[in-house]
Amino acid sequence: MSEREHVGAKRPPHQHEDSDFHLEGRRAVVVIVSTSAANGTAEDRCGPLLRSWLERRGMTVSVRTVPDGPQVLSLLREVTAGSHGVDGPRFVITSGGTGLNSDDVTPEATAQVVEREAPGMMHALWAKGLEKTPTAVMSRGVAGQVGCTFVVNLPGSRGGVKDGMAVLDPLLDHISAQLEDVHGHGEDRSVTGTADEVVPAQPGDDAPAGLVLHAELTEDPLDPGTARRAVADPSCGAVVGFSGVIRDHDGGRTGVTGLEYTAHPSAHEVLCDVVARAAADHPGTRVWAAHRTGALAVGDSALEVAVAAAHRREAFAACADVVDRIKEAVPIWKREAFRDGGHAWVGLDA
């Protein structure tokens, strides 16, 4: 049997998950690709960052360092050797070796190891990086699956690693569930309809967790009044809304005539997860959120968020947090159209 024919071998039978999937007890490997760090002539500043993040998510983490060049492939094959059984890591996250230098071979090595690529992940990482620097597109990273392990390449800078963490964090649970063939993951957070139909997040220590009334992607026009009426409740003294309206300029360039939003297939599940996490962090709130996709004209709303709370401070804080998390984590991109006939793809910026 060839390496490519191993997909799905020795995997557990199909399951159906009734609640959130947990990462506790899973294993992750961080691979730092840096000749200077491997030789001890430079400090590894990315490995500790990734280790701390993954450990906070409940995983046991080991950090390996390897110089740029052919040893990268050897190490990736070593750490993924058990990926078709119970001993393999759930995640292998590399940092470094994704540029254009002659010894930057991490993407080529990763492509030889993974069995099924996940290109949408890299699109999300590039979009996130482009919010801060145009050089983000020079990262040639690869992401994909080998057995029950997910491998993803991040840049070698702390900024690039932080951007990668922001994109990956809301996806870790869902990736892990799918790698174990858990079906129905996230359905409890695909929340639309009335409050009586929604299963709220787990309550906190001091007050009931925030209640998610609605979270979805839609091609239909968004109405701020609908969102704010939905969250209103006699127990709440404040209702705050945010409308992300298409403007006629962007980044100093005028003449924007419209935008077209494109979403990754995972975007709806990510949106539901992000909103649920935000609501859980703001006890006592009532949250409504929707992002529109497709072609929008100047003046249309691309993102509507409404939050009700007992007091205005809580409502404002929760609304801002929900908006920020959606903009940071949900894999949606926009294509701007200009009056002169030009177009430009940029990351989410409702």
Side-chain angles (χ1 to χ4, degrees):
M1 182 180 289
S2 68
E3 287 184 355
R4 299 285 174 181
E5 292 170 336
H6 275 289
V7 176
K10 297 183 180 179
R11 303 181 76 183
H14 287 262
Q15 307 172 56
H16 185 86
E17 183 190 36
D18 294 321
S19 60
D20 192 22
F21 194 84
H22 299 286
L23 296 167
E24 283 79 1
R26 275 71 178 182
R27 190 163 61 86
V29 179
V30 173
V31 175
I32 300 301
V33 182
S34 168
T35 300
S36 57
N39 293 340
T41 58
E43 177 186 3
D44 167 27
R45 302 180 64 222
C46 296
L49 194 63
L50 289 165
R51 178 199 286 274
S52 176
W53 164 56
L54 294 168
E55 287 179 343
R56 289 197 305 270
R57 296 303 304 271
M59 288 180 278
T60 57
V61 185
S62 60
V63 179
R64 305 285 298 271
T65 305
V66 64
D68 294 281
Q71 294 184 49
V72 177
L73 177 58
S74 299
L75 181 56
L76 288 179
R77 284 177 169 164
E78 175 190 333
V79 299
T80 60
S83 295
H84 292 282
V86 297
D87 298 326
R90 182 51 38 85
F91 294 96
V92 173
I93 300 179
T94 74
S95 171
T98 63
L100 298 175
N101 290 321
S102 60
D103 58 354
D104 286 337
V105 298
T106 303
E108 286 76 14
T110 303
Q112 292 188 58
V113 170
V114 300
E115 296 161 337
R116 297 197 295 177
E117 290 194 17
M121 184 68 68
M122 299 314 305
H123 283 290
L125 293 170
W126 291 324
K128 181 64 177 176
L130 281 171
E131 294 177 2
K132 300 176 182 177
T133 173
T135 60
V137 294
M138 296 178 65
S139 177
R140 302 180 301 108
V142 170
Q145 169 195 2
V146 51
C148 289
T149 299
F150 190 80
V151 186
V152 59
N153 301 153
L154 300 182
S157 65
R158 279 177 61 87
V161 165
K162 288 181 178 180
D163 288 343
M165 289 163 51
V167 171
L168 289 167
D169 190 68
L171 300 173
L172 291 181
D173 286 345
H174 190 68
I175 292 171
S176 185
Q178 288 203 341
L179 290 173
E180 292 191 2
D181 273 347
V182 175
H183 286 252
H185 179 68
E187 288 179 357
D188 56 312
R189 286 194 295 266
S190 297
V191 286
T192 60
T194 68
D196 292 337
E197 297 170 338
V198 177
V199 178
Q202 293 300 309
D205 295 333
D206 301 321
L211 180 66
V212 180
L213 301 177
H214 185 89
E216 70 163 347
L217 293 183
T218 180
E219 294 186 353
D220 297 330
L222 298 178
D223 173 37
T226 298
R228 295 168 198 181
R229 286 191 297 271
V231 299
D233 188 84
S235 66
C236 298
V239 175
V240 171
F242 169 85
S243 298
V245 179
I246 306 304
R247 57 184 181 264
D248 64 359
H249 62 93
D250 188 44
R253 185 176 179 182
T254 60
V256 174
T257 59
L259 290 86
E260 182 176 0
Y261 284 89
T262 301
H264 186 266
S266 68
H268 174 74
E269 292 175 348
V270 176
L271 174 68
C272 292
D273 184 80
V274 165
V275 175
R277 288 177 182 275
D281 289 341
H282 295 277
T285 57
R286 295 163 57 84
V287 182
W288 194 104
H291 200 297
R292 189 175 171 187
T293 58
L296 282 73
V298 172
D300 288 343
S301 176
L303 175 63
E304 287 292 335
V305 174
V307 175
H311 305 286
R312 68 180 186 277
R313 291 184 185 276
E314 291 91 331
F316 276 114
C319 187
D321 190 27
V322 173
V323 172
D324 287 345
R325 295 194 194 197
I326 290 173
K327 289 166 65 68
E328 288 175 359
V330 181
I332 301 176
W333 304 273
K334 67 181 182 183
R335 182 175 184 262
E336 293 179 322
F338 294 90
R339 193 173 295 115
D340 61 7
H343 295 87
W345 282 99
V346 294
L348 174 61
D349 182 17

